[in-house]
């Protein structure tokens, strides 16, 4: 075990210890009297001494000491009872510490680092044991340190923490790594130097395990263009997995909401725990491996043996139990696995308690025997209870009859294990739907036709029938290596639909949702949306040469399936490539089956493929590039830029090669895809590139490479296909194949499996997670660059400043999403919108960020002025401000001329920004404007936008199911183009109440300035002058003088206002101006006075102090730097 470093004097201990191993910095010693030889008389004395002493004083027989070459001081850092234990510690020091120590310059630094590392390891071991014992005390201490060091909002949930080293340059800092829901944090304090690091998960571009000369193994994090390395973790793999899960959780929650909304278990960021993340990851693996619906969760795992009749032996594996399925997979997962829906289970019996066995009887006279199950009684009861919940009406026979039937099955099963006919299943007679598979309608098989291709097709069918007789048929079939071999050879046309349903898991979806598709078709019939318009446009482009889609039968079926799916999942709606895929599904599956196959592909097997950003396809292309680097080094050497393969292979992934291969060959690829998932597409892609390696290496440009690949795909044939020649020829097209050697698709697929079949699904899943971070951040960076390019044309900020402002703007958006379940800002983020509208701020987020960045500190968070600014710059009045609107406002305040700055302030006090109600009333009602929680309405004035998504519905064509008014879009666009520059003459006059508030705003702006008194007097002078001018002008215009009672009130109110404002502090001026506006208001209703902007501008231009104040430059860079630091703290202090 590791020991707290303590100083010892080695010279007094030479006779008690023998050195076993040593190096420059460490010594491994054995105590005399232990081990080989016993140590003679000295060893005997030492052994006696150790035996006589009580247990608390006994010394461990092995220890490791730390020292430096130029020091006589030694430190004990580890001890061990056995040689194996101490050698494990020694090896760990050699692998993780020795290389690192070479970077230090002084002995003191080396000793300090080693001591810190050992203390961290001790704490790590203690923490692990405490977690296992569910003792929260240690975790509470870590949580207090976390809150103290990083000053994050109290809602931030600490998930776990680890001792590790963080590499700052070439020198490691020993400290603590804290992993929370939204942030990766590190803290170190060593030799007076404090290192503090806070990175939000949504800012990370790369997260991977790496190793180099100095670091044997470390975790690499890339964020904001900076590399961060964390090493010497006691549980590196566990740490990396948790980091990967938290990063993936953040990406799904903040960027990929379609996928996130399907994971209710992780919807609340305040409830995320390490255990919850691990359970979610295991459930996800479980569902992916067994192709189960998204609702299933892994509840129990039991190790057991399963009797496999076709192999005549028991295979070791694991029983995995979810809400509605009982699954088994052999130890390596490839030998065999089976999925048993609970709805298929008839009964569970425990025939033999001595072997801890239970037998599961399923429909179709089948039984499965599990043995050596540790907790077999509880498992049997669990299965029974779950079957009872989900049992079908036809299973409600008497329990005695069921038990009798099961007992006879069990006896027969035990007495005749060689009788494999027991495993014969019966094909499910699923509910008939309105249509048949289009292939059976348009290409019925001629039974009397005995040409070679049909004979081969019959032989394939016979092979599968033999397979069914041995391994079962239907939902409870055994999946084995032999199943894959048959798939690679090609699936017979008659069985294709059935097997696709089985391998994809769609058969379970359809069985558990009877009548669902029919209801969807009825509900979606006649709806008119953007998706239905696109579907109609693409209907006749889907396999147009195929006879099935030259008739109304095929077109109508395709329309119904695509429209029903768009209605079911409006987030995806309809995307190009879905029509091609669905066309092929309809050829071999019934209409309802084709629908559920489409659900399985879009929502499980190819997640995030079919949306506007096709994130899933881009991620898999990045995975494909990694595999090319690993498996085709020759190609990589010749073509250093692999992005070419990403562009050319996009259609391969989106359409599963259907768009590039002839139809009779493409269906063989789809066979493999439904069995092996995306792994089959990746393998085939590598095989295609490998087959054309020489030609690709010799080509001179991308166009030539594309031509080579296109010609290759046109030359691929399926010599065993029974399809009529007309269909095959139509699929191939008009390309001349005579000059190219034909390639058989079965041979190509077999070669792909032989050469690249060692690619593991787990590796693909890990690579997907790693590349998803990079793909998402690349898309986000593209969005940022496009936004900056658009905004830069209207503002005077440079690209660097806009970049920093965008980062602050986006971060403010996310700060409102981190700690709430249904943040309006999170709902407003829609990647399908235009670039400028993807990130927008509601009033709460805007007021915080604007108060940090505005130049004169006149807007505090949630102030009335912030509300007026928000209303002013929210041009379309949707309750949201985009980045362009935000930057234009800041640009006016920082870089605008005196006239433009004054015009901005003037417009703040006009509708729609200024409501015109008295100030004291507005301050009382400010709580109505500002939401108490993140979920409430931004402010009462915008009643039309109380619902969080309403502001987005107006802009997003994809939201809702209503028809998009394209004419309105075009008109709005035309108005924006024709919009002329506003002149000062276009501004309305400012009335009495507005002018008094305008004067107060000027006082607020000048408060705290070195020339505050001079500026106050200048404002008072201008106010007094304007009031007198207005009074004179009104007298000249009026035919007779006003009533005596009104005139003194008017004059006295104006002069009192200007005098008191000039002589009081800003705090008292708030009261005085409010008081005056209240007192004067009722008396002046009949003689309301007002000013034009030209009058105000002319008066203020005569005050040099005011002009110089507004023309004084303010450093935006300094403000941005301060905002970056204060942004998170301001949120924490709320």
């Amino acid at each position: 075990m590791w020991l707290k470093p303590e100083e010892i004097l080695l010279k007094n201990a030479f006779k008690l210890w023998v050195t076993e191993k040593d190096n420059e910095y460490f010594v491994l010693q054995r105590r005399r009297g232990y081990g080989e030889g016993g140590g003679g008389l000295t060893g005997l004395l030492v052994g006696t001494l150790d035996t006589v002493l009580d247990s608390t004083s006994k010394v461990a027989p092995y220890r490791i000491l730390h020292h430096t070459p130029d020091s006589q001081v030694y430190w004990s850092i580890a001890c061990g009872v056995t040689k194996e234990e101490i050698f494990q510690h020694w090896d760990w020091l050699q692998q993780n510490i020795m290389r690192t120590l070479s970077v230090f310059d002084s002995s003191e630094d080396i000793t300090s680092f080693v001591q810190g590392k050992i203390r961290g390891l001790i704490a790590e071991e203690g923490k692990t044991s405490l977690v296992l014992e569910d003792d929260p005390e240690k975790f509470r201490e870590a949580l207090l340190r976390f809150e103290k060091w990083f000053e994050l909002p109290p809602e931030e949930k600490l998930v776990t923490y680890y001792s590790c080293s963080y590499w700052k340059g070439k020198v490691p800092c020993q400290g603590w790594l804290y992993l929370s829901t939204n942030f990766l944090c590190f803290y170190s304090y060593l030799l007076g130097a404090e290192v503090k690091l806070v990175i939000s998960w949504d800012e990370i571009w790369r997260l991977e395990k790496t190793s180099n000369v100095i670091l044997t193994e470390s975790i690499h994090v890339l964020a904001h263009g900076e590399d961060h390395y964390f090493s010497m973790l006691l549980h590196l793999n566990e740490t990396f997995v948790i980091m990967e899960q938290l990063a993936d959780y953040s990406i799904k929650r903040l960027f990929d909401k379609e996928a996130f909304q399907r994971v209710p278990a992780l919807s609340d960021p305040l409830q995320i725990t390490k255990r919850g993340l691990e359970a979610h990851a295991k459930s996800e693996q479980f569902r992916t491996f067994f192709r189960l619906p998204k609702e299933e969760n892994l509840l129990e795992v039991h190790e057991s043996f399963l009797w496999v009749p076709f192999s005549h032996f028991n295979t070791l594996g694991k029983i995995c139990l979810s809400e509605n399925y009982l699954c088994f997979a052999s130890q390596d997962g490839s030998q065999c696995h089976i999925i048993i829906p609970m709805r298929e289970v008839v009964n569970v019996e425990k025939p033999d308690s001595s072997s801890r066995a239970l037998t599961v009887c399923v429909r179709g006279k089948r039984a499965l025997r599990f043995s050596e199950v540790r907790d077999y009684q509880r498992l049997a009861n669990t299965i029974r209870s779950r079957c009872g919940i989900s049992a079908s009406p036809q299973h409600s026979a008497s329990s005695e009859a069921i038990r009798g039937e099961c007992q006879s099955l069990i006896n027969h099963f035990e007495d005749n294990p060689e009788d494999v006919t027991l495993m014969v299943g019966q094909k499910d007679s699923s509910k008939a739907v309105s249509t048949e598979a289009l292939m059976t309608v348009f290409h019925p098989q001629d039974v009397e036709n005995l040409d070679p291709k049909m004979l081969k097709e019959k032989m394939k069918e016979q092979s599968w029938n033999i397979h069914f007789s041995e391994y079962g048929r239907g939902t409870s079939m055994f999946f084995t290596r032999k199943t894959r071999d048959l798939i690679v050879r090609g699936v017979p046309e008659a069985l294709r639909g059935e097997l696709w349903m089985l391998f994809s898991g769609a058969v379970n979806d359809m069985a558990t949702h009877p009548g669902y598709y029919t209801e969807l078709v009825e509900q979606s019939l006649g709806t008119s949306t953007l998706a239905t318009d696109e579907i109609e446009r693409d209907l006749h482009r889907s396999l147009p040469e195929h006879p099935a889609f030259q008739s109304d039968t095929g077109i109508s079926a395709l329309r119904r399936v695509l429209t029903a799916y768009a209605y079911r999942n409006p987030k995806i709606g309809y995307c190009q490539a879905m029509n091609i895929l669905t066309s092929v599904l309809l050829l071999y599956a019934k209409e309802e089956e084709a629908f559920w196959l489409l659900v399985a592909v879009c929502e499980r097997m190819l997640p995030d493929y079919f949306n506007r950003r096709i994130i899933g396809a881009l991620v898999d292309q990045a995975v494909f590039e990694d595999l090319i680097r690993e498996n085709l080094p020759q190609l990589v050497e010749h073509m250093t830029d692999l992005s070419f393969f990403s562009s050319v292979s996009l259609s391969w992934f989106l359409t599963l090669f259907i768009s590039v291969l002839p139809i009779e060959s493409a269906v063989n690829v789809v066979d493999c895809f439904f069995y092996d998932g995306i792994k089959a597409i990746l393998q085939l892609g590598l095989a295609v590139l490998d087959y054309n390696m020489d030609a690709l290496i010799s080509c001179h440009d991308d166009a030539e490479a594309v031509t080579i690949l296109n010609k290759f795909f046109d030359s691929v044939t399926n010599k065993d296909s029974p399809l009529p020649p007309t269909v095959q020829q139509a699929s191939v097209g008009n390309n001349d194949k005579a000059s190219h050697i034909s390639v058989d698709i079965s041979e190509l697929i077999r070669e792909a499996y032989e050469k690249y079949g060692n690619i593991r699904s787990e590796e693909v899943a890990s690579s997907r997670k790693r590349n998803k971070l990079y793909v998402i951040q690349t898309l986000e960076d593209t969005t940022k660059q496009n936004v900056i390019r658009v905004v830069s044309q209207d503002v005077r900020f440079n690209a660097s400043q806009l970049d920093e402002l965008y980062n602050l703007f986006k971060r403010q958006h996310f700060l409102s999403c981190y700690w709430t379940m249904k943040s309006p800002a999170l709902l407003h983020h829609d990647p399908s919108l235009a670039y400028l509208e993807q990130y927008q701020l509601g009033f709460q987020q805007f007021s915080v960020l604007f108060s940090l960045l505005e130049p004169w500190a006149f807007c505090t968070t949630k102030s009335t002025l912030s509300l007026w600014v928000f209303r002013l710059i929210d041009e379309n009045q949707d309750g949201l401000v985009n980045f362009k609107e935000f930057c234009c406002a800041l640009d006016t305040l920082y870089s605008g001329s005196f006239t433009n700055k004054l015009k901005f302030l003037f417009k703040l006090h006009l509708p729609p920004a200024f409501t015109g109600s008295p100030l004291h009333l507005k301050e009382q009602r400010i709580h109505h404007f500002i939401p108490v929680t993140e979920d409430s309405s931004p402010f009462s004035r915008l009643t039309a936008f109380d619902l969080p998504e309403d502001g987005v519905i107006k802009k997003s064509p994809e939201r809702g199911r209503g028809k998009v008014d394209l004419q309105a879009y075009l008109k709005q666009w035309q108005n924006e183009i024709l919009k002329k520059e506003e002149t000062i003459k276009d501004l309305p006059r400012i009335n009495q109440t507005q002018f008094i508030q305008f004067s107060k705003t000027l006082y607020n702006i000048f408060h705290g300035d070195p020339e505050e008194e001079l500026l106050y007097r200048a404002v008072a002078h201008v106010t007094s002058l304007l009031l007198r001018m207005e009074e004179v002008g009104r007298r000249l215009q009026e035919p007779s003088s006003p009533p005596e009672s009104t005139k003194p009130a008017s004059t006295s109110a104006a002069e009192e206002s200007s005098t008191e404002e000039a002589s009081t502090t800003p705090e008292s001026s708030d009261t005085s101006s409010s008081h005056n506006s209240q007192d004067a208001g009722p008396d002046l209703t009949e003689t309301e006075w007002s000013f034009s902007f030209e009058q105000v501008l002319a008066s203020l231009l005569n005050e040099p102090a005011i002009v110089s104040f507004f023309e004084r430059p303010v450093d935006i860079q300094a403000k941005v730097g301060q905002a970056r630091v204060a942004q998170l703290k301001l949120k924490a202090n709320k």
Side-chain angles (χ1 to χ4, degrees), residues 922-933:
K922 285 198 290 292
E923 287 180 337
Q924 289 174 7
R925 292 171 58 196
I926 194 71
H927 300 294
H928 298 290
F929 295 147
I930 300 169
V932 178
T933 64

Side-chain angles (χ1 to χ4, degrees), residues 826-840:
L826 192 58
L827 294 170
H828 289 320
H829 175 231
D830 185 353
S832 67
L833 292 173
Y835 289 124
L836 271 174
E837 296 170 1
Q838 284 188 25
Y839 291 108
Q840 303 179 90

Side-chain angles (χ1 to χ4, degrees), residues 589-625:
K590 298 174 185 177
E591 188 177 314
E592 184 178 5
E593 293 174 340
F595 169 79
W596 286 112
L597 283 169
L598 185 63
V599 169
V601 172
C602 294
E603 297 176 15
R604 288 202 306 271
M605 301 186 73
L606 296 179
D608 298 328
Y609 261 60
F610 300 100
N611 54 37
R612 293 205 171 271
R613 301 205 294 178
I614 55 171
I615 291 172
L618 296 175
V619 169
D620 282 344
Q621 285 181 299
V623 174
F624 187 49
E625 283 187 24

Side-chain angles (χ1 to χ4, degrees), residues 428-610:
D428 294 335
S429 54
S430 58
K431 182 183 176 182
V433 291
S434 57
T435 61
E436 289 294 319
L438 295 178
M439 195 62 79
T440 60
V441 176
F442 288 89
H443 305 295
Q445 291 188 8
D446 187 356
V447 181
E448 297 178 0
N449 182 8
L450 296 177
D451 65 15
K453 288 188 176 182
M454 285 306 299
L455 282 172
K456 195 151 189 178
E457 187 75 4
K458 293 295 179 186
M459 289 172 63
K460 281 185 184 178
E461 287 184 31
Q462 187 61 30
S463 298
W464 276 96
N465 287 328
I466 294 170
H467 184 273
F468 292 147
S469 68
E470 292 182 1
Y471 300 96
R473 186 171 188 173
T475 51
S476 303
M477 184 179 84
F478 277 91
F479 295 80
T480 67
R481 289 193 180 97
K482 190 174 179 182
T483 314
R484 179 181 278 118
D485 292 340
L486 287 173
I487 291 286
V488 171
R489 287 183 217 162
V491 174
E493 302 277 315
L495 296 175
R496 191 159 264 139
E498 176 192 344
L499 292 175
W500 285 359
M501 289 290 289
L502 180 63
F503 297 150
S504 65
V507 64
N508 293 314
D509 289 326
M510 194 168 94
T512 53
H513 295 83
Y516 177 80
Y517 174 68
T518 308
E519 289 176 13
L520 272 186
V521 170
E522 291 173 359
Q523 291 170 5
S524 62
L525 196 65
T527 57
S528 180
T529 65
L530 188 64
T532 56
D533 288 349
E534 292 177 348
I535 289 169
E536 288 298 326
R537 188 177 65 236
D538 287 348
L539 282 176
H540 296 279
R541 303 177 188 173
S542 312
L543 303 184
E545 292 88 0
H546 197 287
F549 298 100
Q550 293 171 355
S551 71
D552 187 58
T553 305
I555 293 293
S556 298
L558 182 60
R559 178 187 292 113
R560 286 192 295 270
V561 172
L562 291 174
T563 306
Y565 185 78
Y567 191 84
R568 164 192 164 86
N569 191 345
K571 294 286 185 183
I572 291 177
Y574 169 78
C575 290
Q576 285 188 341
M578 287 173 69
N579 60 319
I580 297 173
L581 176 61
T582 309
S583 301
V584 174
L585 298 179
L586 282 167
L587 289 178
Y588 295 97
K590 298 174 185 177
E591 188 177 314
E592 184 178 5
E593 293 174 340
F595 169 79
W596 286 112
L597 283 169
L598 185 63
V599 169
V601 172
C602 294
E603 297 176 15
R604 288 202 306 271
M605 301 186 73
L606 296 179
D608 298 328
Y609 261 60
F610 300 100

